[in-house]
Amino acid sequence: LGKVDEVKKLVALGIEIDAKDYSGWTALHEACGNNRTEIAKVLLEANADVQMRSQNGTTPLHDAAANCNEKLIKLLLRYGADPDAKNDNRQTTYDVVNDDVLEKYKELVKKVLYKYADERADRLNKSRKLKKPVFEMTGFNAADLFEDSSGEDNISSSMISPISTVSHFDKG
């Protein structure tokens, strides 16, 4: 499972799950871009925003579709990902999937959207009710992880997310 346990620990600490790195990627983007299905599952179970966009408008589903990762695609769709979301280049997920598997992708999306329609609707309604900053819920501030004992910043929390670092460098 690689770094899954580390991600679980960070989630349990109350880390800002949707923090973005310098390119606008969240930990979920990193997990999907690097085919880390188990990490993506942990993040989604912790209410990571499945629709979060990077600086170029890419969603985690764009990443999973571009990688033709069927497990990740199913997982993201089940958690409410929008296959018709467009990035800044006006590309949907259908546009970034390899042409040789496009028809299979379309069929997969259709089946998953049908099978999990009620669950997707429930998740959407719950996420609208639960969206509060982690700080408001727990008093935890992710920037605290970047301070040394002198109180000075070692690294800017706006530049990199601890969870996305774990997701990105976990190639095992």
Side-chain angles (χ1 to χ4, degrees), residues 19-24 55 143 146 153 155-161:
K20 292 183 175 188
D21 66 13
Y22 59 89
S23 64
Q55 286 180 350
F146 299 100
D153 288 344
I155 187 170
S156 170
S157 63
S158 64
M159 292 180 64
I160 194 160
S161 160

Side-chain angles (χ1 to χ4, degrees), residues 136-152:
E136 286 181 26
M137 295 187 306
T138 65
F140 177 82
N141 184 351
D144 294 343
L145 292 175
F146 299 100
E147 292 183 6
D148 62 22
S149 58
S150 67
E152 295 180 23

Side-chain angles (χ1 to χ4, degrees), residues 101-112:
V101 294
L102 180 58
E103 291 307 314
K104 181 179 178 183
Y105 177 73
K106 286 179 182 178
E107 189 61 32
L108 174 66
V109 169
K110 184 178 172 181
K111 285 180 183 178
V112 173

Side-chain angles (χ1 to χ4, degrees), residues 42-166:
V42 169
L43 296 169
L44 289 166
E45 288 172 351
N47 296 318
D49 187 346
V50 74
Q51 300 292 34
M52 188 66 73
R53 293 172 181 272
S54 68
Q55 286 180 350
N56 67 0
T58 299
T59 66
L61 185 57
H62 280 94
D63 299 323
N67 288 332
C68 301
N69 187 320
E70 189 172 330
K71 285 183 180 180
L72 266 173
I73 292 165
K74 287 178 181 178
L75 181 67
L76 293 166
L77 290 170
R78 186 173 181 179
Y79 274 81
D82 179 4
D84 295 314
K86 293 181 180 179
N87 63 20
D88 292 353
N89 292 326
R90 312 274 309 143
Q91 295 172 308
T92 68
T93 61
Y94 300 102
D95 298 319
V96 299
V97 73
N98 293 337
D99 289 337
D100 56 330
V101 294
L102 180 58
E103 291 307 314
K104 181 179 178 183
Y105 177 73
K106 286 179 182 178
E107 189 61 32
L108 174 66
V109 169
K110 184 178 172 181
K111 285 180 183 178
V112 173
L113 292 181
Y114 179 77
K115 182 176 181 178
Y116 296 107
D118 291 339
E119 185 178 326
R120 287 169 50 90
D122 288 345
R123 285 187 199 282
L124 180 62
N125 289 332
K126 285 180 186 175
S127 71
R128 287 182 181 151
K129 292 176 188 173
L130 295 177
K131 287 291 180 184
K132 276 188 171 180
V134 170
F135 180 77
E136 286 181 26
M137 295 187 306
T138 65
F140 177 82
N141 184 351
D144 294 343
L145 292 175
F146 299 100
E147 292 183 6
D148 62 22
S149 58
S150 67
E152 295 180 23
D153 288 344
N154 290 328
I155 187 170
S156 170
S157 63
S158 64
M159 292 180 64
I160 194 160
S161 160
I163 295 179
S164 85
T165 301
V166 170

